[in-house]
Amino acid sequence: MKETDEQLVSAYLRGNDNALKELIERYTAPIFNFVYRSGIHTETADVTQEIFLKAWKNIKKFNIQKSSLKTWLYIIARTTSIDFMRKRKEITFSDMEEHSSDRAFSDTIIDIAPLVTEVIDRLESKNLLNEALSKLPQNYQTVLTLHYHEEMTFEEIGLVLNKPLNTVKSWHQRAIIKLRQIVIDN
Amino acid sequence: MHFSLVYTYMEKRLNELFKKNTTKAPAALSQDIWEAVLFSRKARYKYRVYVGIGILSLSGLVPALQMLIREVTASGFFQYASLLFTSKILLSSGKELLLAIVEATPVMSIVLCLLLIILLVNSLFIIVKRKRVFAF
Protein backbone atom coordinates (compact mmCIF):
# COMPACT_ATOMS: atom_id res chain seq x y z
CA MET A 1 0.00 0.00 0.00
CA LYS A 2 1.20 3.50 -0.85
CA GLU A 3 2.40 5.42 2.17
CA THR A 4 0.90 8.83 2.89
CA ASP A 5 3.03 11.98 2.73
CA GLU A 6 2.92 12.33 6.48
CA GLN A 7 4.05 8.73 7.00
CA LEU A 8 6.97 9.39 4.68
CA VAL A 9 7.94 12.53 6.60
CA SER A 10 7.88 10.57 9.88
CA ALA A 11 9.96 7.81 8.29
CA TYR A 12 12.52 10.35 7.06
CA LEU A 13 12.74 11.98 10.47
CA ARG A 14 13.42 8.51 11.92
CA GLY A 15 16.38 8.23 9.55
CA ASN A 16 14.95 6.64 6.41
CA ASP A 17 16.48 8.55 3.50
CA ASN A 18 14.44 6.67 0.93
CA ALA A 19 11.28 8.23 2.36
CA LEU A 20 12.54 11.70 1.45
CA LYS A 21 13.57 10.48 -1.98
CA GLU A 22 10.07 9.11 -2.49
CA LEU A 23 8.54 12.46 -1.47
CA ILE A 24 10.79 14.31 -3.90
CA GLU A 25 9.79 11.95 -6.71
CA ARG A 26 6.13 12.33 -5.79
CA TYR A 27 6.11 16.13 -5.89
CA THR A 28 8.74 17.12 -8.47
CA ALA A 29 6.34 17.14 -11.43
CA PRO A 30 3.46 19.05 -9.74
CA ILE A 31 5.78 21.61 -8.14
CA PHE A 32 7.64 22.09 -11.43
CA ASN A 33 4.32 22.64 -13.18
CA PHE A 34 3.22 25.09 -10.46
CA VAL A 35 6.45 27.08 -10.75
CA TYR A 36 6.08 27.19 -14.52
CA ARG A 37 2.51 28.38 -14.24
CA SER A 38 3.62 31.03 -11.74
CA GLY A 39 5.39 32.68 -14.65
CA ILE A 40 8.91 31.31 -14.25
CA HIS A 41 9.60 29.81 -17.65
CA THR A 42 13.37 29.83 -18.00
CA GLU A 43 14.74 28.75 -14.62
CA THR A 44 11.86 26.50 -13.60
CA ALA A 45 14.08 23.55 -12.67
CA ASP A 46 16.41 25.69 -10.51
CA VAL A 47 13.50 27.23 -8.63
CA THR A 48 11.92 23.78 -8.16
CA GLN A 49 15.21 22.53 -6.70
CA GLU A 50 15.40 25.52 -4.38
CA ILE A 51 11.86 24.79 -3.14
CA PHE A 52 12.77 21.21 -2.23
CA LEU A 53 15.97 22.34 -0.52
CA LYS A 54 14.01 24.81 1.57
CA ALA A 55 11.49 22.09 2.43
CA TRP A 56 14.31 19.72 3.42
CA LYS A 57 15.98 22.36 5.60
CA ASN A 58 12.69 23.10 7.38
CA ILE A 59 11.18 19.63 7.47
CA LYS A 60 11.48 19.44 11.26
CA LYS A 61 9.27 22.53 11.48
CA PHE A 62 6.50 20.89 9.44
CA ASN A 63 3.41 20.63 11.60
CA ILE A 64 0.72 18.20 10.54
CA GLN A 65 -1.77 19.96 12.82
CA LYS A 66 -1.50 23.15 10.75
CA SER A 67 -1.63 21.78 7.21
CA SER A 68 -1.01 18.77 5.00
CA LEU A 69 2.46 18.27 3.55
CA LYS A 70 1.09 19.10 0.10
CA THR A 71 -0.25 22.46 1.30
CA TRP A 72 2.99 23.16 3.18
CA LEU A 73 5.05 22.42 0.06
CA TYR A 74 2.92 24.74 -2.04
CA ILE A 75 3.29 27.51 0.54
CA ILE A 76 7.06 27.19 0.18
CA ALA A 77 6.71 26.96 -3.61
CA ARG A 78 4.66 30.12 -3.78
CA THR A 79 6.92 32.22 -1.53
CA THR A 80 10.03 30.98 -3.33
CA SER A 81 8.54 31.77 -6.73
CA ILE A 82 7.50 35.25 -5.60
CA ASP A 83 10.97 35.91 -4.13
CA PHE A 84 12.55 34.76 -7.37
CA MET A 85 10.33 36.99 -9.50
CA ARG A 86 10.85 39.95 -7.18
CA LYS A 87 14.59 39.52 -7.52
CA ARG A 88 14.10 39.48 -11.26
CA LYS A 89 11.70 42.44 -10.90
CA GLU A 90 9.00 40.52 -12.75
CA ILE A 91 6.44 41.08 -10.03
CA THR A 92 5.41 44.05 -7.96
CA PHE A 93 3.82 44.20 -4.56
CA SER A 94 0.58 45.45 -6.09
CA ASP A 95 0.41 42.35 -8.30
CA MET A 96 0.11 40.27 -5.17
CA GLU A 97 -2.18 42.41 -3.10
CA GLU A 98 -4.73 43.91 -5.44
CA HIS A 99 -8.11 42.44 -6.21
CA SER A 100 -8.63 41.20 -2.65
CA SER A 101 -12.37 41.25 -2.37
CA ASP A 102 -14.19 39.30 0.30
CA ARG A 103 -17.45 39.00 -1.58
CA ALA A 104 -19.11 35.69 -0.84
CA PHE A 105 -18.56 33.08 -3.49
CA SER A 106 -22.13 31.85 -3.34
CA ASP A 107 -23.32 35.35 -4.33
CA THR A 108 -21.50 35.24 -7.62
CA ILE A 109 -20.80 31.70 -8.73
CA ILE A 110 -24.23 31.35 -10.28
CA ASP A 111 -23.25 34.08 -12.75
CA ILE A 112 -20.11 32.38 -13.96
CA ALA A 113 -20.92 28.70 -14.24
CA PRO A 114 -22.74 28.85 -17.59
CA LEU A 115 -20.05 31.14 -19.00
CA VAL A 116 -17.35 28.70 -18.18
CA THR A 117 -18.50 25.91 -20.47
CA GLU A 118 -18.25 28.33 -23.37
CA VAL A 119 -14.75 29.40 -22.23
CA ILE A 120 -13.59 25.81 -21.87
CA ASP A 121 -14.77 24.92 -25.35
CA ARG A 122 -12.78 27.76 -26.82
CA LEU A 123 -9.71 27.08 -24.67
CA GLU A 124 -9.78 23.46 -25.70
CA SER A 125 -10.34 24.03 -29.39
CA LYS A 126 -7.66 26.68 -29.73
CA ASN A 127 -5.24 25.18 -27.19
CA LEU A 128 -5.07 28.57 -25.53
CA LEU A 129 -4.83 27.71 -21.86
CA ASN A 130 -1.17 28.51 -21.15
CA GLU A 131 -1.30 31.73 -23.14
CA ALA A 132 -4.54 32.85 -21.49
CA LEU A 133 -3.27 31.99 -18.01
CA SER A 134 -0.11 34.02 -18.53
CA LYS A 135 -2.29 37.08 -19.12
CA LEU A 136 -4.02 36.75 -15.76
CA PRO A 137 -2.78 38.46 -12.56
CA GLN A 138 -0.46 36.27 -10.48
CA ASN A 139 -2.94 35.40 -7.74
CA TYR A 140 -5.61 34.39 -10.22
CA GLN A 141 -3.19 32.07 -11.99
CA THR A 142 -2.24 30.50 -8.68
CA VAL A 143 -5.83 29.92 -7.62
CA LEU A 144 -6.76 28.30 -10.93
CA THR A 145 -3.64 26.14 -11.07
CA LEU A 146 -3.97 24.91 -7.51
CA HIS A 147 -7.68 24.27 -7.82
CA TYR A 148 -7.87 22.68 -11.23
CA HIS A 149 -4.45 21.13 -11.66
CA GLU A 150 -3.57 20.15 -8.11
CA GLU A 151 -7.20 19.61 -7.13
CA MET A 152 -6.79 21.56 -3.91
CA THR A 153 -9.83 22.85 -2.08
CA PHE A 154 -10.40 26.59 -1.65
CA GLU A 155 -9.58 26.17 2.05
CA GLU A 156 -6.20 24.64 1.19
CA ILE A 157 -5.54 27.38 -1.37
CA GLY A 158 -6.38 29.92 1.33
CA LEU A 159 -3.62 28.42 3.46
CA VAL A 160 -1.13 28.54 0.59
CA LEU A 161 -1.96 32.15 -0.23
CA ASN A 162 -2.52 33.14 3.40
CA LYS A 163 -5.88 34.61 2.49
CA PRO A 164 -9.41 34.10 3.85
CA LEU A 165 -11.63 31.58 2.15
CA ASN A 166 -13.96 34.20 0.67
CA THR A 167 -11.07 36.06 -0.91
CA VAL A 168 -9.88 32.88 -2.60
CA LYS A 169 -13.37 32.15 -3.88
CA SER A 170 -13.70 35.68 -5.11
CA TRP A 171 -10.35 35.49 -6.92
CA HIS A 172 -11.43 32.23 -8.48
CA GLN A 173 -14.61 33.76 -9.77
CA ARG A 174 -12.84 36.84 -11.12
CA ALA A 175 -10.16 34.67 -12.70
CA ILE A 176 -12.78 32.72 -14.60
CA ILE A 177 -14.46 35.92 -15.77
CA LYS A 178 -11.12 37.38 -16.86
CA LEU A 179 -10.17 34.13 -18.56
CA ARG A 180 -13.40 34.28 -20.48
CA GLN A 181 -12.68 37.86 -21.52
CA ILE A 182 -9.20 36.93 -22.70
CA VAL A 183 -10.57 34.01 -24.73
CA ILE A 184 -13.26 36.17 -26.32
CA ASP A 185 -10.75 38.89 -27.18
CA ASN A 186 -8.35 36.39 -28.68
CA MET B 1 -29.91 21.00 -8.63
CA HIS B 2 -29.39 22.39 -12.10
CA PHE B 3 -26.73 24.79 -10.87
CA SER B 4 -24.77 22.13 -9.00
CA LEU B 5 -24.74 19.90 -12.08
CA VAL B 6 -23.42 22.74 -14.24
CA TYR B 7 -20.81 23.55 -11.63
CA THR B 8 -19.66 19.93 -11.33
CA TYR B 9 -19.44 19.71 -15.12
CA MET B 10 -17.40 22.91 -15.22
CA GLU B 11 -15.01 21.65 -12.53
CA LYS B 12 -14.53 18.34 -14.34
CA ARG B 13 -13.86 19.99 -17.71
CA LEU B 14 -11.40 22.47 -16.23
CA ASN B 15 -9.60 19.69 -14.33
CA GLU B 16 -9.19 17.77 -17.58
CA LEU B 17 -8.06 20.86 -19.46
CA PHE B 18 -5.43 21.78 -16.85
CA LYS B 19 -4.16 18.20 -16.66
CA LYS B 20 -3.88 18.05 -20.44
CA ASN B 21 -1.79 21.25 -20.43
CA THR B 22 0.71 20.11 -17.80
CA THR B 23 4.26 21.34 -18.31
CA LYS B 24 6.49 18.28 -18.09
CA ALA B 25 9.45 18.39 -15.73
CA PRO B 26 12.83 17.20 -17.06
CA ALA B 27 13.20 13.44 -16.56
CA ALA B 28 16.27 13.69 -14.32
CA LEU B 29 14.99 16.54 -12.15
CA SER B 30 13.97 14.38 -9.17
CA GLN B 31 17.41 12.75 -9.15
CA ASP B 32 19.11 16.15 -9.45
CA ILE B 33 17.09 17.46 -6.51
CA TRP B 34 17.96 14.39 -4.44
CA GLU B 35 21.66 14.86 -5.20
CA ALA B 36 21.39 18.55 -4.29
CA VAL B 37 19.86 17.53 -0.95
CA LEU B 38 22.72 15.07 -0.30
CA PHE B 39 25.27 17.72 -1.24
CA SER B 40 23.64 20.29 1.04
CA ARG B 41 23.54 17.74 3.85
CA LYS B 42 27.28 17.14 3.54
CA ALA B 43 27.84 20.88 3.41
CA ARG B 44 25.76 21.28 6.58
CA TYR B 45 27.82 18.65 8.41
CA LYS B 46 31.01 20.42 7.36
CA TYR B 47 29.52 23.74 8.43
CA ARG B 48 28.78 22.31 11.88
CA VAL B 49 32.31 20.89 12.13
CA TYR B 50 33.76 24.32 11.34
CA VAL B 51 31.46 25.97 13.87
CA GLY B 52 32.78 23.46 16.44
CA ILE B 53 36.38 24.16 15.46
CA GLY B 54 35.69 27.91 15.69
CA ILE B 55 34.21 27.62 19.18
CA LEU B 56 37.01 25.32 20.39
CA SER B 57 39.77 27.52 19.00
CA LEU B 58 38.17 30.64 20.44
CA SER B 59 37.79 29.07 23.87
CA GLY B 60 41.35 27.68 23.68
CA LEU B 61 42.77 31.02 22.63
CA VAL B 62 42.01 32.73 25.94
CA PRO B 63 44.08 30.37 28.19
CA ALA B 64 46.76 30.15 25.50
CA LEU B 65 47.16 33.94 25.50
CA GLN B 66 47.19 34.00 29.31
CA MET B 67 49.89 31.30 29.27
CA LEU B 68 51.89 33.27 26.69
CA ILE B 69 51.77 36.47 28.77
CA ARG B 70 52.74 34.54 31.92
CA GLU B 71 55.71 32.83 30.23
CA VAL B 72 56.92 36.01 28.56
CA THR B 73 56.88 37.80 31.93
CA ALA B 74 58.52 34.95 33.85
CA SER B 75 61.34 34.36 31.35
CA GLY B 76 62.47 38.00 31.39
CA PHE B 77 61.92 38.28 27.62
CA PHE B 78 60.88 41.92 27.81
CA GLN B 79 63.95 42.87 29.85
CA TYR B 80 66.29 41.24 27.33
CA ALA B 81 64.36 42.74 24.45
CA SER B 82 64.58 46.24 25.94
CA LEU B 83 68.36 45.90 25.98
CA LEU B 84 68.27 45.79 22.18
CA PHE B 85 67.64 49.53 22.26
CA THR B 86 70.81 50.13 24.31
CA SER B 87 73.51 50.60 21.69
CA LYS B 88 76.44 50.03 24.12
CA ILE B 89 75.42 46.49 25.08
CA LEU B 90 74.38 45.66 21.54
CA LEU B 91 77.85 46.58 20.29
CA SER B 92 79.82 44.85 23.07
CA SER B 93 77.87 41.62 23.48
CA GLY B 94 75.21 41.58 20.75
CA LYS B 95 75.57 37.87 20.05
CA GLU B 96 75.07 36.88 23.69
CA LEU B 97 72.09 39.22 23.94
CA LEU B 98 70.43 37.70 20.89
CA LEU B 99 70.99 34.19 22.27
CA ALA B 100 69.49 35.24 25.59
CA ILE B 101 66.45 36.69 23.84
CA VAL B 102 65.95 33.52 21.79
CA GLU B 103 66.33 31.43 24.93
CA ALA B 104 63.76 33.54 26.77
CA THR B 105 61.23 33.38 23.93
CA PRO B 106 58.26 31.14 24.86
CA VAL B 107 58.25 29.34 21.50
CA MET B 108 55.60 26.73 22.38
CA SER B 109 53.11 29.31 23.62
CA ILE B 110 53.62 31.49 20.56
CA VAL B 111 53.18 28.52 18.21
CA LEU B 112 50.03 27.45 20.09
CA CYS B 113 48.52 30.95 19.98
CA LEU B 114 49.30 31.36 16.27
CA LEU B 115 47.81 27.95 15.51
CA LEU B 116 44.62 28.79 17.36
CA ILE B 117 44.35 32.20 15.67
CA ILE B 118 44.80 30.61 12.23
CA LEU B 119 42.16 27.97 13.03
CA LEU B 120 39.74 30.62 14.30
CA VAL B 121 40.16 32.93 11.31
CA ASN B 122 39.97 30.04 8.86
CA SER B 123 36.81 28.57 10.39
CA LEU B 124 35.17 32.02 10.60
CA PHE B 125 35.95 32.59 6.94
CA ILE B 126 34.43 29.21 5.96
CA ILE B 127 31.38 29.69 8.22
CA VAL B 128 30.57 33.08 6.69
CA LYS B 129 31.09 31.75 3.16
CA ARG B 130 28.90 28.66 3.70
CA LYS B 131 26.25 30.68 5.48
CA ARG B 132 26.00 32.90 2.42
CA VAL B 133 25.93 30.04 -0.11
CA PHE B 134 23.73 27.53 1.69
CA ALA B 135 21.76 29.86 3.99
CA PHE B 136 21.87 27.40 6.91
Side-chain angles (χ1 to χ4, degrees), chain A residues 151-163:
Chain A
E151 296 181 12
M152 288 170 90
T153 63
F154 290 125
E155 284 87 353
E156 288 173 323
I157 298 170
L159 283 173
V160 172
L161 299 176
N162 197 23
K163 292 286 172 195

Side-chain angles (χ1 to χ4, degrees), chain B residues 13-58:
Chain B
R13 290 276 315 272
L14 278 173
N15 277 335
E16 285 167 3
L17 188 64
F18 271 77
K19 291 267 161 72
K20 219 166 30 176
N21 282 274
T22 299
T23 310
K24 294 264 182 295
L29 185 58
S30 291
Q31 186 59 32
D32 291 347
I33 292 169
W34 175 241
E35 278 164 18
V37 167
L38 293 178
F39 181 78
S40 291
R41 189 154 67 183
K42 270 186 199 163
R44 186 154 76 175
Y45 286 144
K46 281 185 188 168
Y47 171 80
R48 285 175 181 169
V49 167
Y50 281 109
V51 168
I53 291 172
I55 291 169
L56 283 176
S57 53
L58 184 65

